[in-house]
Amino acid sequence: MAESITITDNRTGEQLEIPITNGGVDAAEWRKLLPGVWFHDPGLATTSGTESAITELDGDNGILRYRGYPIEQLAQQSTFLEVAYLLINGELPDRAQHDAWVDDITHHTYLHEKFRKRMYDAFHYDAHPMGLLTSGVAGLSTFYPDAKDIEDPDNRMHQIIRLIAKMPTFAASAFRHSEGQPFVFPDNTLDYPSNFLQMMFEVGNPYEIDPALRKAMELLLILHADHEQNCSTTAARVVGSAHADPYTSVAAACAALYGPRHGGANEAVLNMLDSIESYSNVDDFIKSVKAGEGRLIGFGHRVYKNYDPRAALIKEAAHEVFAVTGKNPHLDIALKLEEAALNDEYFISRKLYPNVDFYSGLIYQSMGFPIEMFTVLFAIGRTPGWLAHWDEMLAQDSRIARPRQLFTGNEERSYVPMSER
Ligand code: ACO
């Protein structure tokens, strides 16, 4: 028997049976019985805004799958660009599709030099690179007015390739600007992570890319590539639902990611570890968190109520990176924090586990990335995910995002002239 739910309006005795489809109940059906009565769901914690076939996330069981493939398998066997193809096209590419995709992305890495220079010069030397990235991505929409034709799937794909290709160039450019160093142009003979590392770190002599660091970069990009309807993806979808072009929609996603509750958390973790200062202060810090004096950043997740599978993979990779770079001085504090929290009733009862950001910052720092670049790295990784959702939404018969509100303000009142207030 098909599953359903029956609701009764106790004001009228009227009943309505609503089928449960794909684990959800159709709000349009509820509305028939309850016109003018809205579902109140701040943070949209129990609301599905879409059907999606891209990423499956089972937070209770710590499962993350892109298009059905477990994150663990992709992390160990795939590459970032192959994962990007998978997210956007729905299937793994064959050799010819793969090579054409990689070739296309590799040959769209350049930014218009005048735009890049003028835009970055307009920012102060210590501008946060996420501010530069967000503005830069938004600015691209003025460069590619053809992107406004969002109804044409081929045109959408063209913009998707452009954006995935240009994100590392933007990111490295933002870093170079803040360091006062000359920009390093993309090298199209290199693979995606190597090219990015070279644009970031080459100074004077040719930059030798350590295979362990390249591998860690690839892994971190894969782990960040998508995470279904998170805050930034939702921002991209909301803006995209108004039929804004993809650059504007992805700029909105970057803006959401910038926040410390979301992509800014990896930066906040390092600041927290800095503020704890030493191993011996960990217990006092945990006490202060339990007393409500702050949060243990890098812990907790709206969806994962079990260990975040990405955090487990990153923790493993951290040791390979530290074997090359030397141990991150914050590692001991982080390990002790994790151990203390995982054994503490406060964190256990609230199902608070390390999330992706808890260890990623330590790796980034050891690789030489300044703290302000951490969220930018997240943005590069998440770009295929944002675009896959944007494209999926436009391929569906989507409606403009326009939630309701429960009005709690004043009833009608008359304007009082200033002299009488
Ligand atoms: N440290 C201490 N207590 C916490 C933490 C934390 N990191 N996270 C949640 N709690 C507590 C809350 O105080 C609350 O306790 P209460 O029931 O006694 O009031 C309970 O756990 C539930 O917390 P909510 O805020 O309702 O959880 P929500 O799902 O809304 O928030 C969030 C999720 C924002 C990720 C939260 O756990 C948090 O702030 N974590 C720290 C920031 C962080 O690491 N963000 C990165 C998320 S992953 C990502 O975006 C890539």
Side-chain angles (χ1 to χ4, degrees):
M1 202 181 78
E3 291 185 327
S4 68
I5 190 158
T6 301
I7 53 164
T8 308
D9 185 341
N10 292 328
R11 297 168 304 179
T12 60
E14 225 183 311
Q15 279 200 334
L16 192 70
E17 188 181 342
I18 305 168
I20 299 177
T21 314
N22 292 334
V25 283
D26 187 350
E29 288 297 310
W30 292 71
R31 267 205 308 275
K32 285 183 190 161
L33 191 60
L34 304 167
V37 177
W38 307 122
F39 297 95
H40 185 52
D41 186 13
L44 306 178
T46 52
T47 298
S48 150
T50 185
E51 289 183 349
S52 179
I54 300 170
T55 288
E56 186 185 0
L57 206 176
D58 175 350
D60 290 332
N61 295 306
I63 287 173
L64 174 62
R65 297 182 191 131
Y66 297 161
R67 301 282 188 185
Y69 296 100
I71 190 67
E72 293 80 4
Q73 290 181 20
L74 294 169
Q76 277 152 16
Q77 297 174 56
S78 189
T79 62
F80 176 63
L81 287 190
E82 185 181 58
V83 164
Y85 183 99
L86 171 70
L87 287 169
I88 289 156
N89 295 286
E91 296 296 337
L92 286 169
D94 63 23
R95 171 58 61 195
Q97 289 166 327
H98 173 270
D99 292 352
W101 171 252
V102 171
D103 191 67
D104 250 356
I105 291 182
T106 307
H107 289 94
H108 282 88
T109 47
Y110 272 66
L111 294 168
H112 192 292
E113 211 20 33
K114 205 163 161 188
F115 169 65
R116 193 191 63 76
K117 270 195 181 149
R118 287 228 176 130
M119 199 205 81
Y120 282 83
D121 281 351
F123 285 86
H124 205 41
Y125 73 95
D126 60 355
H128 195 289
M130 265 315 272
L132 271 70
L133 183 76
T134 308
S135 313
V137 172
L140 275 187
S141 86
T142 65
F143 254 79
Y144 301 118
D146 56 318
K148 292 193 186 342
D149 181 9
I150 50 93
E151 309 275 5
D152 174 7
D154 291 340
N155 187 38
R156 291 207 297 269
M157 188 56 81
H158 189 51
Q159 313 308 329
I160 286 172
I161 288 168
R162 272 185 179 150
L163 245 176
I164 295 175
K166 293 183 196 314
M167 286 301 267
T169 319
F170 262 127
S173 203
F175 170 70
R176 292 273 171 174
H177 175 80
S178 63
E179 295 288 300
Q181 289 176 358
F183 176 58
V184 173
F185 286 100
D187 178 345
N188 292 347
T189 63
L190 295 176
D191 62 44
Y192 195 90
S194 304
N195 185 31
F196 175 53
L197 290 173
Q198 177 161 291
M199 284 193 286
M200 283 288 303
F201 297 122
E202 187 185 276
V203 189
N205 304 327
Y207 173 69
E208 284 209 14
I209 300 156
D210 189 287
L213 302 193
R214 199 211 74 83
K215 190 174 156 213
M217 193 69 244
E218 183 107 61
L219 172 79
L220 286 156
L221 292 173
I222 292 173
L223 296 183
H224 285 90
D226 194 41
H227 215 227
E228 50 118 303
Q229 311 303 322
N230 55 86
C231 180
S232 54
T233 302
T234 301
R237 288 181 56 100
V238 168
V239 174
S241 80
H243 284 189
D245 67 73
Y247 303 103
T248 310
S249 303
V250 168
C254 288
L257 192 75
Y258 196 176
R261 280 177 160 187
H262 189 16
N266 50 20
E267 181 173 341
V269 168
L270 259 284
N271 292 332
M272 174 188 76
L273 294 174
D274 259 345
S275 75
I276 295 174
E277 278 180 3
S278 79
Y279 193 77
S280 57
N281 291 338
V282 167
D283 289 337
D284 284 345
F285 181 77
I286 293 274
K287 265 189 216 145
S288 72
V289 169
K290 286 161 63 177
E293 288 165 21
R295 289 197 166 189
L296 176 49
I297 309 295
F299 262 66
H301 198 276
R302 171 59 61 78
V303 181
Y304 289 118
K305 299 302 170 195
N306 195 324
Y307 211 96
D308 180 340
R310 302 167 301 171
L313 291 160
I314 289 180
K315 193 175 168 184
E316 238 175 77
H319 294 292
E320 289 175 32
V321 169
F322 299 156
V324 177
T325 62
K327 194 171 84 176
N328 187 302
H330 288 112
L331 180 66
D332 289 338
I333 301 179
L335 287 170
K336 188 167 179 204
L337 267 180
E338 180 185 0
E339 193 195 330
L342 293 181
N343 290 303
D344 191 297
E345 189 44 35
Y346 176 94
F347 296 91
I348 295 170
S349 63
R350 288 168 179 78
K351 300 191 174 174
L352 298 170
Y353 294 89
N355 59 46
V356 66
D357 292 317
F358 194 65
Y359 286 105
S360 61
L362 292 180
I363 301 188
Y364 292 145
Q365 191 180 48
S366 290
M367 287 172 79
F369 290 103
I371 290 179
E372 305 77 53
M373 280 297 287
F374 293 0
T375 313
V376 173
L377 302 175
F378 192 156
I380 300 174
R382 185 54 57 85
T383 298
W386 288 330
L387 291 166
H389 285 274
W390 171 77
D391 189 60
E392 182 184 61
M393 177 187 70
L394 292 171
Q396 295 165 345
D397 188 16
S398 68
R399 301 181 76 193
I400 189 165
R402 203 308 183 185
R404 300 288 181 154
Q405 65 168 8
L406 304 185
F407 180 68
T408 58
N410 291 309
E411 290 184 3
E412 184 180 346
R413 48 185 178 162
S414 295
Y415 180 78
V416 181
M418 187 95 66
S419 57
E420 292 171 29
R421 282 178 225 159

